[in-house]
Amino acid sequence: MWRFIARRLLQAIPVFLGTTFLIYAMVFALPGDPIQALAGEKPLPPAVVNALREHYNLNDPLLVQYVKYLGGLVQGDLGETFDGQAVSDVLSGRWTVTAQLALTAWLFELVIGIGLGVWAGLRRGSLADTLVLGGTTLVIAVPVFVLGYTAQIVLGLNLGLFPTAGTEDGWPLSYLLPGMVLGSLGLSYVARLTRTSIAENLRSDYVRTAYAKGLSKVRVVGKHTLRNSLIPVITYLGVDFGTLMGGAVVTEGIFNLPGIGQQVFQSIQLKEGPVVVGASTLLVLVFLVVNLAVDLLYGVLDPRIRRD
């Protein structure tokens, strides 16, 4: 097991370097001069421009800039914005908001999505199966901003079931409605994936053998069928957690949540490349850590998957 973990960590190094370099290159290839953007329409003296470009390594070749960024990253330094703030300070409070929102959406996908998938998979062809397939198709077809505003008006304003904006009520209350909106698309995929996997495994030889041995339906489904069926679902949920962290821009805007998504959007407009690169680097790390955890879960769900 430890050899497997070490091997996966070593494999993650080139993935991390390649991904962060591409992000760094694309962000700083955006048109416009970030130094000049600091002064707006008023031109800066050439001496000031040269000093700032030297301070932020903008006169160096791209590869040299990236290596210097990695040197700071190893020491826990995500860089500095063009107005002198530490990127870690800019992202610290917002990172907590986005993490809580993503966790709420992810738990919503996990519990409700798997529950609906199992319910439909065990009743394939029934009314329950039709309702799950039809409902998830409808959610997939509706754009997230339409779903968000509708949920905000109906469930928040009209019925008063949830707070409609802001984080004043703390976690989880302030994050329940935006979390459901953010996780609705993933929930639909989780439910459909679980339903298909359950239905296919119920026709497998090992399930028929388990029934032939006299095992109860609860044990066959809970111990054998469900564990094998959850392998592709866990894979999707692992990847989707990183997607939820990075893809909450629209949801955060609708519900006025001061998270990473809003900050990255604003930083792109202001040409604050260090903030965009720093946030993206943290998201890459989240993806790598979650994928490693998913691989380790495979051995728990299916002992046939060996870790040599």
Side-chain angles (χ1 to χ4, degrees):
M1 177 65 74
W2 291 110
R3 289 178 57 190
F4 167 75
I5 296 176
R7 187 166 62 249
R8 286 306 306 269
L9 289 175
L10 290 175
Q11 292 173 352
I13 293 176
V15 175
F16 175 79
L17 293 176
T19 306
T20 52
F21 177 74
L22 287 175
I23 293 171
Y24 193 94
M26 288 187 292
V27 168
F28 284 97
L30 293 173
D33 187 349
I35 301 302
Q36 187 58 50
L38 290 174
E41 298 181 358
K42 183 179 179 180
L44 290 172
V48 176
V49 173
N50 290 331
L52 288 174
R53 292 186 65 85
E54 188 67 28
H55 177 73
Y56 291 105
N57 306 315
L58 296 177
N59 291 327
D60 296 329
L62 178 64
L63 186 58
V64 176
Q65 294 183 43
Y66 175 69
V67 171
K68 289 182 177 180
Y69 172 72
L70 285 181
L73 190 62
V74 171
Q75 303 174 37
D77 182 11
L78 290 174
E80 183 181 332
T81 66
F82 292 123
D83 59 0
Q85 288 183 282
V87 173
S88 57
D89 293 338
V90 174
L91 298 178
S92 59
R94 292 178 176 269
W95 185 262
T96 303
V97 172
T98 298
Q100 291 176 331
L101 174 61
L103 178 61
T104 305
W106 191 80
L107 291 174
F108 181 60
E109 293 180 11
L110 176 70
V111 177
I112 307 299
I114 291 178
L116 289 176
V118 172
W119 186 48
L122 294 176
R123 297 163 177 81
R124 187 173 182 178
S126 66
L127 177 61
D129 188 24
T130 303
L131 289 175
V132 170
L133 290 177
T136 54
T137 302
L138 178 63
V139 171
I140 293 172
V142 177
V144 65
F145 63 89
V146 175
L147 189 63
Y149 283 120
T150 302
Q152 191 178 48
I153 293 172
V154 176
L155 299 179
L157 294 177
N158 294 345
L159 298 180
L161 298 177
F162 305 99
T164 56
T167 60
E168 290 79 8
D169 295 301
W171 190 87
L173 189 59
S174 294
Y175 296 87
L176 287 177
L177 190 56
M180 288 189 291
V181 172
L182 180 62
S184 58
L185 182 62
L187 179 146
S188 301
Y189 289 129
V190 168
R192 295 172 74 92
L193 188 59
T194 305
R195 175 254 182 199
T196 301
S197 189
I198 287 282
E200 290 178 354
N201 281 312
L202 285 174
R203 298 196 298 266
S204 300
D205 291 337
Y206 73 89
V207 172
R208 286 194 289 267
T209 302
Y211 278 123
K213 290 181 177 180
L215 298 180
S216 64
K217 183 176 181 179
V218 173
R219 188 172 182 183
V220 171
V221 173
K223 185 176 180 180
H224 300 286
T225 309
L226 185 59
R227 288 181 64 178
N228 290 330
S229 301
L230 285 181
I231 292 177
V233 179
I234 292 298
T235 303
Y236 175 82
L237 284 170
V239 174
D240 195 49
F241 185 78
T243 304
L244 293 172
M245 289 286 293
V249 179
V250 176
T251 307
E252 288 178 358
I254 294 173
F255 293 95
N256 194 27
L257 300 176
I260 291 292
Q262 278 193 356
Q263 181 62 59
V264 169
F265 181 73
Q266 294 170 4
S267 298
I268 292 174
Q269 291 181 314
L270 297 174
K271 297 182 177 61
E272 282 286 1
V275 177
V276 179
V277 173
S280 301
T281 299
L282 292 176
L283 292 175
V284 170
L285 288 173
V286 170
F287 268 106
L288 294 176
V289 171
V290 171
N291 283 336
L292 176 61
V294 167
D295 287 340
L296 296 177
L297 278 175
Y298 286 162
V300 176
L301 294 172
D302 190 351
R304 296 174 298 179
I305 301 177
R306 298 181 59 85
R307 301 300 185 203
D308 297 323

